[in-house]
PDB file of all heavy atoms in Angstrom:
ATOM      1  N   VAL A 310       2.678  -8.134 -81.929  1.00  0.00           N
ATOM      2  CA  VAL A 310       2.697  -8.182 -83.466  1.00  0.00           C
ATOM      3  C   VAL A 310       1.978  -9.397 -83.941  1.00  0.00           C
ATOM      4  O   VAL A 310       1.203  -9.265 -84.959  1.00  0.00           O
ATOM      5  CB  VAL A 310       4.115  -8.137 -83.956  1.00  0.00           C
ATOM      6  CG1 VAL A 310       4.362  -8.258 -85.430  1.00  0.00           C
ATOM      7  CG2 VAL A 310       4.976  -6.845 -83.437  1.00  0.00           C
ATOM      8  N   GLN A 311       2.179 -10.548 -83.343  1.00  0.00           N
ATOM      9  CA  GLN A 311       1.596 -11.716 -83.826  1.00  0.00           C
ATOM     10  C   GLN A 311      -0.033 -11.676 -83.683  1.00  0.00           C
ATOM     11  O   GLN A 311      -0.725 -12.137 -84.389  1.00  0.00           O
ATOM     12  CB  GLN A 311       2.164 -13.003 -83.206  1.00  0.00           C
ATOM     13  CG  GLN A 311       3.519 -13.241 -83.789  1.00  0.00           C
ATOM     14  CD  GLN A 311       4.257 -14.403 -83.132  1.00  0.00           C
ATOM     15  OE1 GLN A 311       4.157 -14.546 -81.892  1.00  0.00           O
ATOM     16  NE2 GLN A 311       5.043 -15.260 -83.817  1.00  0.00           N
ATOM     17  N   ALA A 312      -0.372 -11.060 -82.465  1.00  0.00           N
ATOM     18  CA  ALA A 312      -1.778 -10.951 -82.156  1.00  0.00           C
ATOM     19  C   ALA A 312      -2.493 -10.111 -83.187  1.00  0.00           C
ATOM     20  O   ALA A 312      -3.681 -10.167 -83.370  1.00  0.00           O
ATOM     21  CB  ALA A 312      -1.982 -10.334 -80.774  1.00  0.00           C
ATOM     22  N   LYS A 313      -1.829  -9.186 -83.776  1.00  0.00           N
ATOM     23  CA  LYS A 313      -2.392  -8.396 -84.935  1.00  0.00           C
ATOM     24  C   LYS A 313      -2.352  -9.156 -86.268  1.00  0.00           C
ATOM     25  O   LYS A 313      -2.699  -8.650 -87.336  1.00  0.00           O
ATOM     26  CB  LYS A 313      -1.546  -7.075 -85.140  1.00  0.00           C
ATOM     27  CG  LYS A 313      -1.770  -6.054 -84.094  1.00  0.00           C
ATOM     28  CD  LYS A 313      -2.902  -5.168 -84.529  1.00  0.00           C
ATOM     29  CE  LYS A 313      -2.983  -3.979 -83.616  1.00  0.00           C
ATOM     30  NZ  LYS A 313      -4.038  -3.085 -83.907  1.00  0.00           N
ATOM     31  N   GLY A 314      -1.981 -10.407 -86.204  1.00  0.00           N
ATOM     32  CA  GLY A 314      -2.055 -11.244 -87.442  1.00  0.00           C
ATOM     33  C   GLY A 314      -0.739 -11.349 -88.238  1.00  0.00           C
ATOM     34  O   GLY A 314      -0.833 -11.875 -89.313  1.00  0.00           O
ATOM     35  N   PHE A 315       0.395 -10.680 -87.817  1.00  0.00           N
ATOM     36  CA  PHE A 315       1.579 -10.754 -88.526  1.00  0.00           C
ATOM     37  C   PHE A 315       2.403 -11.811 -88.010  1.00  0.00           C
ATOM     38  O   PHE A 315       2.406 -12.108 -86.922  1.00  0.00           O
ATOM     39  CB  PHE A 315       2.284  -9.425 -88.541  1.00  0.00           C
ATOM     40  CG  PHE A 315       1.430  -8.232 -88.965  1.00  0.00           C
ATOM     41  CD1 PHE A 315       0.910  -7.302 -88.070  1.00  0.00           C
ATOM     42  CD2 PHE A 315       1.305  -8.102 -90.285  1.00  0.00           C
ATOM     43  CE1 PHE A 315       0.056  -6.318 -88.632  1.00  0.00           C
ATOM     44  CE2 PHE A 315       0.501  -6.983 -90.842  1.00  0.00           C
ATOM     45  CZ  PHE A 315      -0.014  -6.162 -89.973  1.00  0.00           C
ATOM     46  N   SER A 316       3.346 -12.322 -89.014  1.00  0.00           N
ATOM     47  CA  SER A 316       4.138 -13.418 -88.506  1.00  0.00           C
ATOM     48  C   SER A 316       5.560 -12.826 -88.086  1.00  0.00           C
ATOM     49  O   SER A 316       5.919 -11.720 -88.296  1.00  0.00           O
ATOM     50  CB  SER A 316       4.636 -14.305 -89.765  1.00  0.00           C
ATOM     51  OG  SER A 316       5.201 -13.646 -90.716  1.00  0.00           O
ATOM     52  N   ALA A 317       6.182 -13.730 -87.249  1.00  0.00           N
ATOM     53  CA  ALA A 317       7.560 -13.336 -86.795  1.00  0.00           C
ATOM     54  C   ALA A 317       8.440 -13.128 -88.030  1.00  0.00           C
ATOM     55  O   ALA A 317       9.389 -12.223 -87.911  1.00  0.00           O
ATOM     56  CB  ALA A 317       8.133 -14.423 -85.891  1.00  0.00           C
ATOM     57  N   ARG A 318       8.283 -13.885 -88.967  1.00  0.00           N
ATOM     58  CA  ARG A 318       9.115 -13.752 -90.164  1.00  0.00           C
ATOM     59  C   ARG A 318       8.852 -12.390 -90.878  1.00  0.00           C
ATOM     60  O   ARG A 318       9.850 -11.670 -91.294  1.00  0.00           O
ATOM     61  CB  ARG A 318       8.534 -14.798 -91.139  1.00  0.00           C
ATOM     62  CG  ARG A 318       9.411 -15.423 -92.213  1.00  0.00           C
ATOM     63  CD  ARG A 318       8.855 -16.679 -92.656  1.00  0.00           C
ATOM     64  NE  ARG A 318       7.535 -16.650 -93.433  1.00  0.00           N
ATOM     65  CZ  ARG A 318       7.528 -16.274 -94.632  1.00  0.00           C
ATOM     66  NH1 ARG A 318       8.600 -15.908 -95.281  1.00  0.00           N
ATOM     67  NH2 ARG A 318       6.340 -16.248 -95.372  1.00  0.00           N
ATOM     68  N   ALA A 319       7.654 -11.904 -90.796  1.00  0.00           N
ATOM     69  CA  ALA A 319       7.322 -10.554 -91.524  1.00  0.00           C
ATOM     70  C   ALA A 319       7.946  -9.485 -90.578  1.00  0.00           C
ATOM     71  O   ALA A 319       8.506  -8.491 -91.096  1.00  0.00           O
ATOM     72  CB  ALA A 319       5.836 -10.378 -91.588  1.00  0.00           C
ATOM     73  N   LEU A 320       7.896  -9.650 -89.239  1.00  0.00           N
ATOM     74  CA  LEU A 320       8.580  -8.747 -88.406  1.00  0.00           C
ATOM     75  C   LEU A 320      10.081  -8.607 -88.637  1.00  0.00           C
ATOM     76  O   LEU A 320      10.647  -7.491 -88.679  1.00  0.00           O
ATOM     77  CB  LEU A 320       8.271  -9.053 -86.855  1.00  0.00           C
ATOM     78  CG  LEU A 320       9.042  -8.037 -85.860  1.00  0.00           C
ATOM     79  CD1 LEU A 320       8.448  -6.628 -86.043  1.00  0.00           C
ATOM     80  CD2 LEU A 320       8.797  -8.606 -84.467  1.00  0.00           C
ATOM     81  N   ARG A 321      10.748  -9.755 -88.707  1.00  0.00           N
ATOM     82  CA  ARG A 321      12.132  -9.945 -89.053  1.00  0.00           C
ATOM     83  C   ARG A 321      12.371  -9.053 -90.288  1.00  0.00           C
ATOM     84  O   ARG A 321      13.279  -8.183 -90.379  1.00  0.00           O
ATOM     85  CB  ARG A 321      12.547 -11.351 -89.231  1.00  0.00           C
ATOM     86  CG  ARG A 321      14.027 -11.375 -89.628  1.00  0.00           C
ATOM     87  CD  ARG A 321      14.531 -12.897 -89.851  1.00  0.00           C
ATOM     88  NE  ARG A 321      15.776 -12.835 -90.216  1.00  0.00           N
ATOM     89  CZ  ARG A 321      16.876 -13.003 -89.537  1.00  0.00           C
ATOM     90  NH1 ARG A 321      16.711 -13.289 -88.185  1.00  0.00           N
ATOM     91  NH2 ARG A 321      18.164 -12.773 -89.842  1.00  0.00           N
ATOM     92  N   PHE A 322      11.469  -9.270 -91.323  1.00  0.00           N
ATOM     93  CA  PHE A 322      11.742  -8.638 -92.634  1.00  0.00           C
ATOM     94  C   PHE A 322      11.579  -7.089 -92.446  1.00  0.00           C
ATOM     95  O   PHE A 322      12.412  -6.343 -92.924  1.00  0.00           O
ATOM     96  CB  PHE A 322      10.743  -9.099 -93.560  1.00  0.00           C
ATOM     97  CG  PHE A 322      10.967  -8.517 -95.122  1.00  0.00           C
ATOM     98  CD1 PHE A 322      12.002  -8.845 -95.791  1.00  0.00           C
ATOM     99  CD2 PHE A 322      10.023  -7.562 -95.476  1.00  0.00           C
ATOM    100  CE1 PHE A 322      12.174  -8.198 -97.158  1.00  0.00           C
ATOM    101  CE2 PHE A 322      10.208  -7.001 -96.633  1.00  0.00           C
ATOM    102  CZ  PHE A 322      11.170  -7.352 -97.542  1.00  0.00           C
ATOM    103  N   ALA A 323      10.576  -6.616 -91.734  1.00  0.00           N
ATOM    104  CA  ALA A 323      10.320  -5.235 -91.572  1.00  0.00           C
ATOM    105  C   ALA A 323      11.498  -4.567 -90.756  1.00  0.00           C
ATOM    106  O   ALA A 323      11.718  -3.455 -91.136  1.00  0.00           O
ATOM    107  CB  ALA A 323       8.982  -5.056 -90.681  1.00  0.00           C
ATOM    108  N   LEU A 324      12.128  -5.443 -89.850  1.00  0.00           N
ATOM    109  CA  LEU A 324      13.219  -4.668 -89.015  1.00  0.00           C
ATOM    110  C   LEU A 324      14.490  -4.772 -89.841  1.00  0.00           C
ATOM    111  O   LEU A 324      15.444  -3.960 -89.541  1.00  0.00           O
ATOM    112  CB  LEU A 324      13.354  -5.455 -87.763  1.00  0.00           C
ATOM    113  CG  LEU A 324      12.115  -5.179 -86.773  1.00  0.00           C
ATOM    114  CD1 LEU A 324      12.227  -5.993 -85.523  1.00  0.00           C
ATOM    115  CD2 LEU A 324      11.994  -3.704 -86.414  1.00  0.00           C
ATOM    116  N   ILE A 325      14.681  -5.552 -90.736  1.00  0.00           N
ATOM    117  CA  ILE A 325      15.949  -5.598 -91.413  1.00  0.00           C
ATOM    118  C   ILE A 325      15.898  -4.979 -92.824  1.00  0.00           C
ATOM    119  O   ILE A 325      16.991  -4.749 -93.416  1.00  0.00           O
ATOM    120  CB  ILE A 325      16.650  -6.984 -91.574  1.00  0.00           C
ATOM    121  CG1 ILE A 325      15.851  -7.886 -92.521  1.00  0.00           C
ATOM    122  CG2 ILE A 325      16.877  -7.696 -90.220  1.00  0.00           C
ATOM    123  CD1 ILE A 325      16.421  -9.281 -92.867  1.00  0.00           C
ATOM    124  N   ARG A 326      14.869  -4.624 -93.307  1.00  0.00           N
ATOM    125  CA  ARG A 326      14.706  -4.081 -94.606  1.00  0.00           C
ATOM    126  C   ARG A 326      15.211  -2.547 -94.713  1.00  0.00           C
ATOM    127  O   ARG A 326      15.569  -2.105 -95.730  1.00  0.00           O
ATOM    128  CB  ARG A 326      13.231  -4.082 -95.208  1.00  0.00           C
ATOM    129  CG  ARG A 326      12.228  -3.304 -94.445  1.00  0.00           C
ATOM    130  CD  ARG A 326      10.894  -3.495 -95.024  1.00  0.00           C
ATOM    131  NE  ARG A 326      10.641  -2.997 -96.246  1.00  0.00           N
ATOM    132  CZ  ARG A 326       9.471  -2.680 -96.745  1.00  0.00           C
ATOM    133  NH1 ARG A 326       8.363  -2.817 -95.950  1.00  0.00           N
ATOM    134  NH2 ARG A 326       9.282  -2.258 -97.983  1.00  0.00           N
TER     135      ARG A 326
END
Side-chain angles (χ1 to χ4, degrees):
V310 173
Q311 288 175 321
K313 284 267 190 184
F315 298 106
S316 65
R318 208 158 68 77
L320 177 62
R321 180 182 175 97
F322 182 76
L324 293 175
I325 65 172
R326 66 190 287 208

